[in-house]
């Protein structure tokens, strides 16, 4: 018998236990048998935030911290950490994003 499972004796057969809510047990067993979900994505908001900061400030984290879009009032170190998380999750996308920024900077000069 699973500990904490609601059981009661039907009185007529003293050794036999009666499960009052079998659907609960079934749902718990089903949930326990499912593989653990791994979250391998970042929120769209975080991705947009990081890309905006890099696009407008390059690698100047102090400037990023003073930006009006820094809604969460992240410190320069926190912003750097978020950018590194983005780099690690999407290395190809990050590389392509940085490459797409290079020509724009050359045209401005």
């Amino acid at each position: 018998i699973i500990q904490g499972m609601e059981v009661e004796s039907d009185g007529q057969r003293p050794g036999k236990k009666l499960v009052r809510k079998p659907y609960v047990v079934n749902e718990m067993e089903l949930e326990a048998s499912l593989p653990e979900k791994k979250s391998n994505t970042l929120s769209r908001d975080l991705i947009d935030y990081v890309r905006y900061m890099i696009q407008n400030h390059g690698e100047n984290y102090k400037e990023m911290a003073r930006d009006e879009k820094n809604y969460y009032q992240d410190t320069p170190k926190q912003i750097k950490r978020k950018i590194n998380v983005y780099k690690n999750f999407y290395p190809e996308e990050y590389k392509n994003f940085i490459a797409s920024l290079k020509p724009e900077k050359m045209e401005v000069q």
Side-chain angles (χ1 to χ4, degrees):
I1 293 175
I2 299 171
Q3 198 173 15
M5 188 165 62
E6 208 171 315
V7 293
E8 64 180 39
S9 179
D10 61 4
Q12 294 171 345
R13 288 168 263 147
K16 183 98 167 130
K17 300 282 184 187
L18 177 73
V19 178
R20 287 179 58 202
K21 297 182 181 178
Y23 62 92
V24 174
V25 176
N26 293 339
E27 284 178 21
M28 288 174 73
E29 286 174 348
L30 179 69
E31 193 175 316
S33 71
L34 293 174
E36 199 173 308
K37 243 186 188 178
K38 290 186 179 167
S39 174
N40 286 343
T41 59
L42 298 177
S43 72
R44 190 75 241 165
D45 288 341
L46 179 66
I47 293 170
D48 292 342
Y49 173 78
V50 166
R51 291 179 76 137
Y52 168 83
M53 290 299 188
I54 294 171
Q55 196 166 6
N56 291 298
H57 304 292
E59 290 188 9
N60 188 339
Y61 302 111
K62 286 183 180 179
E63 220 177 271
M64 291 179 192
R66 285 190 228 110
D67 192 291
E68 64 183 22
K69 292 225 177 183
N70 182 9
Y71 304 124
Y72 303 110
Q73 298 182 348
D74 291 329
T75 65
K77 266 189 174 178
Q78 289 171 316
I79 294 171
K80 187 175 183 177
R81 196 174 305 123
K82 285 181 179 182
I83 291 172
N84 285 334
V85 166
Y86 174 69
K87 280 183 194 178
N88 293 334
F89 265 80
Y90 303 106
E92 280 299 311
E93 189 179 310
Y94 176 77
K95 198 168 74 177
N96 293 337
F97 175 62
I98 295 300
S100 73
L101 292 178
K102 298 250 190 263
E104 288 179 24
K105 297 220 173 187
M106 286 179 195
E107 289 173 17
V108 173
Q109 293 173 347

